[in-house]
Amino acid sequence: MKDRFERELTYLRISVVDRCNLRCLYCMPAHGAGFEPWKDILSYDEIVSLTRCFAELGIRKVRLTGGEPLVRKGIAGLISRIREIPGISELALSTNGVFLREQGCELKEAGLNRVNISLDTLHRGRFIQIARMDRLAEVLAGIDEALNLGFYPVKINTVLMKGINDDEILDFVRFAVERSIEVRFIELMQTNGAVQLDAKNNFLSTEEAKEKIEKEFNLISFDTYLSSPAKVFSIDGTNARVGFISPLSCFFCSRCNRLRLKANGALKTCLHGKEDLDLKFLLRSGMPEEEIKRKIEEVVFVRPEQHFLNEKDVPHNDFQMSHVGG
Ligand code: SAM
């Protein structure tokens, strides 16, 4: 399945739930996060049916995200069902790590290949300030568990926030070095869930983070998949890596190979674009899978060439990341 700019779509991010057990201040408001009623959240049967359609259209990699995917009961069962879909060769999970220690083993046995864990600070007090919950110890135990279980690769995602966690950049690099893993620094996106943060005062570019790291570590450019949004570097003399995700620079749009299925069944062909298709409605109105596939192909074909995050007066920030899954 290709769009009109010849980009092939091979990667589907599925948000399995819009609820989360944290309230990160760059992602969700402390109260009134606006959850969908459960009846409007795709059932596992519906997710599996749609994933089968996407696989037949050429999707090869699936990532489960949220909200927090591990707050939904029975995720391991969903994983084993997706693993059985012909064509899906890679299955990944994005999680805040809180439930990873208790669920990791089950997820691995179900066939999960890899995990990305979000972590924005290594200090308990600051974790409470950012995530509005006291759960750092569980997240750290979850990271250890992921490593013990042999998930590969394990990646840490850290949102850069000037004045909040920018003094920990080198600590995160050391954390990655000690564990031989990859830490990826993400530029803060100004969504409507991030209203507590100031786009001007709290934004720190990945370029600034990289300069800081290079004062202490030698970074060697590392080849990643062309479709990866991260620019990745090996840290000289170690088995660790550091990645930089710079959504605002837009360098990634021309190679973007991903689609997003929201927990309510809406399909987004661009993270910062509109919702393109209500797949839940089509499925529940009894549309045959062949027709659903044609509808998907139609909206994919006309997907935007790039996002407009850098332009003023565009309602690009009119969404909450927890509703889309990152
Ligand atoms: N709960 C899971 C987790 O913590 O990874 C999956 C969902 S979370 C919405 C996915 C990713 O989006 C996380 O890495 C999070 O840090 C990132 N994210 C959320 N809001 C963001 C924002 N305003 N700017 C940059 N990244 C953001």
Side-chain angles (χ1 to χ4, degrees):
M1 170 173 47
K2 282 187 180 169
D3 66 20
R4 66 201 149 124
F5 303 104
E6 286 294 306
R7 291 172 298 192
E8 194 162 2
L9 284 300
T10 56
Y11 177 14
L12 175 67
R13 298 176 65 100
I14 304 176
S15 171
V16 295
V17 69
D18 55 358
R19 276 87 168 152
C20 189
N21 45 356
L22 301 182
R23 289 286 179 279
C24 298
L25 43 85
Y26 53 77
C27 187
M28 294 168 97
H31 305 285
F35 299 129
E36 298 272 1
W38 275 104
K39 68 172 178 43
D40 291 332
I41 302 279
L42 292 179
S43 69
Y44 286 156
D45 285 346
E46 288 170 329
I47 292 176
V48 170
S49 300
L50 288 173
T51 308
R52 201 179 314 115
C53 291
F54 281 105
E56 285 166 14
L57 290 169
I59 292 294
R60 296 292 164 256
K61 173 177 174 183
V62 168
R63 175 177 297 279
L64 302 182
T65 174
E68 169 50 40
L70 300 187
V71 301
R72 185 161 177 184
K73 288 204 172 71
I75 282 291
L78 177 67
I79 288 172
S80 52
R81 291 178 70 185
I82 292 178
R83 287 286 335 160
E84 283 168 14
I85 297 175
I88 302 298
S89 53
E90 200 180 336
L91 186 48
L93 174 82
S94 282
T95 173
N96 59 33
V98 171
F99 288 146
L100 207 46
R101 189 159 93 163
E102 54 190 82
Q103 295 185 26
C105 189
E106 202 190 351
L107 301 175
K108 180 94 176 141
E109 280 170 7
L112 183 69
N113 301 120
R114 43 195 286 184
V115 279
N116 286 5
I117 303 163
S118 300
L119 179 61
D120 307 305
T121 177
L122 298 167
H123 301 297
R124 181 177 168 207
R126 200 175 273 181
F127 189 96
I128 297 170
Q129 180 201 353
I130 296 172
R132 301 185 177 111
M133 305 276 168
D134 185 3
R135 309 200 85 160
L136 176 63
E138 285 144 287
V139 179
L140 294 174
I143 294 171
D144 287 344
E145 181 70 357
L147 291 168
N148 286 340
L149 289 167
F151 282 112
Y152 185 82
V154 171
K155 294 181 186 172
I156 305 297
N157 284 337
T158 303
V159 177
L160 290 166
M161 289 169 279
K162 190 185 261 174
I164 297 182
N165 67 355
D166 52 332
D167 57 343
E168 289 188 65
I169 292 171
L170 289 171
D171 292 341
F172 267 107
V173 176
R174 289 183 203 109
F175 184 88
V177 168
E178 281 159 19
R179 291 161 181 78
S180 298
I181 58 177
E182 181 175 320
V183 59
R184 309 190 313 167
F185 294 105
I186 307 174
E187 282 176 359
L188 175 69
M189 289 174 254
Q190 199 61 38
T191 68
N192 73 9
V195 282
Q196 293 89 343
L197 296 180
D198 184 321
K200 255 198 209 126
N201 296 320
N202 296 124
F203 180 81
L204 183 83
S205 72
T206 47
E207 209 37 56
E208 288 169 89
K210 184 164 172 273
E211 278 168 23
K212 207 168 195 173
I213 296 166
E214 281 177 319
K215 290 196 176 123
E216 198 159 311
F217 296 93
N218 187 19
L219 301 185
I220 304 161
S221 187
F222 181 83
D223 268 346
T224 42
Y225 294 114
L226 263 184
S227 56
S228 169
K231 282 188 182 153
V232 181
F233 298 82
S234 302
I235 304 171
D236 199 10
T238 79
N239 291 320
R241 288 180 205 149
V242 59
F244 300 97
I245 302 183
S246 326
L248 281 94
S249 70
C250 209
F251 82 93
F252 163 62
C253 295
S254 64
R255 314 190 294 260
C256 177
N257 66 343
R258 54 192 65 193
L259 297 174
R260 293 174 167 86
L261 179 61
K262 288 179 58 178
N264 67 2
L267 179 68
K268 286 187 91 168
T269 62
C270 168
L271 173 59
H272 301 285
K274 60 182 175 42
E275 292 176 3
D276 299 287
L277 191 61
D278 183 350
L279 285 168
K280 178 182 75 223
F281 174 76
L282 301 186
L283 208 56
R284 292 188 184 174
S285 58
M287 185 179 270
E289 287 191 359
E290 282 308 311
E291 261 179 72
I292 291 181
K293 287 197 296 192
R294 295 295 81 76
K295 293 272 181 208
I296 294 172
E297 281 178 318
E298 276 168 31
V299 296
V300 163
F301 189 70
V302 296
R303 72 200 274 258
E305 184 171 17
Q306 61 173 69
H307 68 62
F308 298 100
L309 263 180
N310 299 318
E311 289 181 24
K312 290 199 173 70
D313 305 323
V314 177
H316 52 68
N317 57 1
D318 195 17
F319 72 99
Q320 215 169 278
M321 206 62 89
S322 61
H323 291 161
V324 188

